[in-house]
Amino acid sequence: MARSAIMNVMVQAALKGGRSLTRDFGEVQNLQVSLKGPGDYVSQADKKAENIIFNELQRARPDYSFLMEESGTIAGSDDQHRFIIDPLDGTTNFLHGIPIFAVSIALERQGQIVAGVIYNPALDELYTAERGSGVFLNDRRLRVAGRRKLEDCVIATGIPHLGRGKHGQYLVELRNVMGEVAGIRRMGAAALDLASVAAGRFDAFWESDLQPWDMAAGLLMVREAGGFVSDMSGGQDIFASKSVVAGNEFIHPALLQTLKKPV
Ligand code: IPD
Ligand code: CA
Ligand code: CA
C-alpha cells in the first residue's frame, strides 16, 4: 500500500496525537475513583492532542487552513485546502474509562474530502483512505459488508442524550429500525462507526446532530470501501444537515426508507 506524502504526514500526526491520548487515558482510569472525577483532566488531554496534531500538520503544510473541534477555524493563505480535525472522538467513553475513542483527521481540497485518517489507539487500529485509492485498516484493504437484507444486519447509531438532539424524532427512527434488523449498537464514537461500516463490521450507521469533524474522514472511508453515504433525506448535504446514513448499495437505501416510515 503506497501512501502519498501528505498521507504520511497525516498518519504521523494521528499516531502522535493518539499516543498522547493513550498516556492520558491511563490517568483517567485512575481518576474514576476520585471525588472530582476526571472531567478537567480529559478536556486538557483533548486540547493537548489537538495541539500536537495541529503542530505536526502545520509544520508540513504551513499554508493550509484548519477546522478543529477545540480551536475552531484557522484560516491559512491557501483556502483551497483544509484539514478537518477531531482530536478525540468518543470523549464520553474516554471520560468513563471505556477504550473506544479515536483521532480523526481529514483533508478537504476545493470542498471535496480527498484523504482521511482515523486512529483508535486502544486497539492500535489505523484506518487510512485516499480518494480513488481505497481504504485500509492497517495494511488490509477494506470493503463494506455484502449483506442484502436488513434482517441480517447489525446497524450502528448515535443516541441523543441530555441537552442533545431531537429525542422524539429519534425514538420514531429507533422504533422503525429495531423491528427490522439483527442488532443495533451505540459505540459512542461516530468516526469509528463510519470506519467500522467501511470495514464491514457494521452493515450501516445513522446519526443526526453531528459536526464535520465527526464525519469527514469516515465519509471518505465508506465511499472508498464501495459504500454509500447521504444525509437523512438521501441527499448529499451531509455537513449542512449534520446527519448521516451510511451502508452498502442495498442496505443504505433500505435503511433510509425504514427510518422515514410514518408513525
Ligand atoms: C461525539 C461522538 C458520539 C456522537 C456525538 C459526537 P465527541 O463526538 O462521535 O458518538 O454520538 O454526537 O459529538 O464529542 O466525542 O468528539
Ligand atoms: Ca466527535
Ligand atoms: Ca471530540
Side-chain angles (χ1 to χ4, degrees), residues 117-178:
V117 176
I118 295 174
Y119 180 51
N120 173 353
L123 291 179
D124 196 24
E125 288 191 330
L126 177 72
Y127 296 86
T128 52
E130 289 190 77
R131 191 160 178 270
S133 303
V135 49
F136 296 82
L137 168 48
N138 298 332
D139 290 333
R140 184 167 59 89
R141 189 165 187 159
L142 300 179
R143 278 294 298 173
V144 288
R147 293 182 189 84
R148 293 175 177 221
K149 292 191 196 138
L150 274 178
E151 65 194 57
D152 298 323
C153 288
V154 171
I155 311 282
T157 185
I159 305 177
H161 47 86
L162 183 65
R164 278 284 291 273
K166 297 187 178 126
H167 295 200
Q169 183 190 316
Y170 183 78
L171 285 172
V172 173
E173 293 167 8
L174 183 62
R175 193 213 56 177
N176 286 346
V177 175
M178 67 199 289

Side-chain angles (χ1 to χ4, degrees), residues 69 86-91 102 104 164 188-191 210-211 213-215:
E69 179 169 17
D86 191 342
L88 171 55
D89 186 49
T91 321
S104 176
R164 278 284 291 273
L210 290 174
Q211 300 293 334
W213 48 79
D214 298 316
M215 303 186 276

Side-chain angles (χ1 to χ4, degrees), residues 203-225:
D203 296 283
F205 168 59
W206 94 94
E207 184 163 357
S208 297
D209 213 25
L210 290 174
Q211 300 293 334
W213 48 79
D214 298 316
M215 303 186 276
L219 293 174
L220 177 67
M221 289 178 189
V222 174
R223 290 191 190 116
E224 287 297 319

